[in-house]
Amino acid sequence: MGSRFLTIVAMLWALATGMAFAEEFKPAVVYDLGSKFDKSFNEGVWNGVQKFSEETGIKVAEFQIVNETQREQAMRRLVERGATMVIAVGFSQADALDAVAADYPDRQFAIIDVSWLDRPNLRQYVFKEHEGSYLVGIAAALASKTGKVGFVGGMDIPLIRKFHCGYLQGARSANADIEVLQAMTGTTPAAWNDPTKASELARSQMDRGADVVYHAAGRSGIGVIQAAADAGMLAIGVDSNQNGLAPGFVLTSMLKRVDVATYQTLSDGLAGTFSSGVHSLGLAEDGVDWAQDEHNAGLLTDELTAAVEEAKDAIIAGNIVVHDYMSDSNCPD
């Protein structure tokens, strides 16, 4: 009887402690430039936020920046208003987050697409985008009827060339003679938010014979998808599942599971298990993948699906090693 009583007391104490901790946990997110509902990178983070809030009932404060100067100011304001955790979306926020994390060592911080910072209160996430891009490269090559496929990136930076390099390798593994056209939307952060320019680049590639175009361009990529649909060609989406944006014209989407990283960070913060350091998410960690659903089912042949899944298993097993442009900028031809 005494043992049972002590067990009940311990359970009640744990419950009360957990509830108190939950009341003290006040997370916040600062989205990157572009709409929170960009159907891509930012929206993937928002999906992770929504899942966490729906499961826990905890509201996550959100801020959408509209220019570069707002980053650090927004983070400081959130912390000053009581945020105990701040998640920053995108590498462009690195300097601002690093400065704020240094000034508030008792708060928790996390950032996506950064690995070079070093703070004991800061978690960083990077993704193996080259692995997921390899898979959709195979899909593109096998779906192409012209032997030419395209790639439209957003801001011309090593991270986006990492997508292109993986895509190129995957396409050539399926068809050694495939031609892969490549273009970038711009060299400034505005490149993530220019669907018109991305559409023009995609149309140019299609005019040159590309019948499948993969984009890694944030909100700009919506222009690529629309251009492909208008021309009766195929696009490949990125970050979030974009198959439903133009059903029948989006071959697949390379999923970059920023929602998983966001949800994981928020959950660890709530549970008191938050840790710093760099987390790298690839196929084996469910950090990247390719999308299959009712919107693209009619586009995926058994041969194509089998080839992509076989490559996925081989990458996870270590039998295929996809070149990482971030480690070596000499992308294999």
Side-chain angles (χ1 to χ4, degrees):
M1 184 68 177
S3 175
R4 183 181 177 187
F5 175 76
L6 291 175
T7 299
I8 293 173
V9 170
M11 291 174 62
L12 291 173
W13 172 255
L15 179 61
T17 302
M19 291 175 64
F21 190 78
E23 290 177 359
E24 296 172 359
F25 183 58
K26 297 178 180 179
V29 172
V30 179
Y31 295 99
D32 206 356
L33 285 170
S35 169
K36 177 173 70 174
F37 301 114
D38 60 1
K39 304 299 181 185
S40 188
F41 190 63
N42 279 326
E43 191 160 334
V45 171
W46 180 79
N47 288 334
V49 169
Q50 286 298 103
K51 179 181 179 183
F52 174 79
S53 293
E54 289 171 1
E55 290 184 0
T56 64
I58 296 175
K59 180 177 175 56
V60 179
E62 300 174 294
F63 189 90
Q64 298 182 72
I65 63 170
V66 295
N67 60 63
E68 297 285 336
T69 62
Q70 288 184 313
R71 300 185 191 282
E72 185 172 338
Q73 180 185 28
M75 294 174 196
R76 290 188 182 280
R77 186 171 298 168
L78 288 166
V79 172
E80 290 165 2
R81 291 179 177 177
T84 58
M85 170 185 283
V86 176
I87 300 175
V89 182
F91 68 91
S92 296
Q93 312 230 48
D95 290 345
L97 190 73
D98 190 44
V100 178
D103 289 344
Y104 294 93
D106 60 331
R107 308 296 172 90
Q108 298 169 344
F109 298 88
I111 188 166
I112 294 171
D113 278 350
V114 172
S115 62
W116 58 87
L117 302 178
D118 185 17
R119 300 285 176 193
N121 58 336
L122 173 60
R123 175 181 293 188
Q124 303 167 79
Y125 282 97
V126 290
F127 292 81
K128 299 176 184 177
E129 296 95 348
H130 51 302
E131 293 183 351
S133 296
Y134 186 97
L135 299 187
V136 300
I138 292 174
L142 293 179
S144 176
K145 296 179 174 61
T146 65
K148 292 183 180 181
V149 299
F151 174 86
V152 175
M155 188 176 174
D156 190 357
I157 53 174
L159 175 62
I160 299 305
R161 292 192 174 272
K162 181 182 179 183
F163 284 81
H164 170 256
C165 185
Y167 178 64
L168 176 67
Q169 293 170 78
R172 290 191 173 161
S173 75
N175 177 1
D177 297 321
I178 195 81
E179 183 176 351
V180 181
L181 307 177
Q182 181 260 123
M184 299 290 179
T185 309
T187 57
T188 69
W192 307 120
N193 199 33
D194 193 348
T196 301
K197 177 66 177 296
S199 176
E200 293 170 355
L201 294 173
R203 286 200 302 270
S204 174
Q205 292 180 353
M206 290 184 285
D207 288 344
R208 293 155 60 193
D211 55 354
V212 184
V213 182
Y214 173 37
H215 88 82
R219 183 176 176 274
S220 296
I222 295 173
V224 173
I225 293 172
Q226 188 60 56
D230 291 345
M233 303 297 181
L234 294 173
I236 296 177
V238 79
D239 295 338
S240 299
N241 184 351
Q242 298 182 321
N243 296 354
L245 294 183
F249 296 101
V250 182
L251 178 63
T252 185
S253 296
M254 197 289 280
L255 303 176
K256 180 174 175 179
R257 301 301 303 276
V258 291
D259 59 324
V260 170
T262 303
Y263 176 81
Q264 183 181 75
T265 301
L266 292 169
S267 298
D268 289 350
L270 176 61
T273 56
F274 177 86
S275 59
S276 61
V278 178
H279 294 232
S280 181
L281 306 181
L283 286 171
E285 298 80 20
D286 195 31
V288 296
D289 208 339
W290 71 305
Q292 302 175 73
D293 59 21
E294 69 277 12
H295 299 301
N296 69 340
L299 302 173
L300 305 179
T301 65
D302 292 343
E303 176 193 11
L304 186 155
T305 301
V308 175
E309 286 298 317
E310 182 180 348
K312 177 179 175 179
D313 291 342
I315 292 170
I316 292 174
N319 298 324
I320 292 177
V321 178
V322 186
H323 182 84
D324 184 353
Y325 183 92
M326 299 289 280
S327 300
D328 179 0
S329 61
N330 295 308
C331 184
D333 292 329

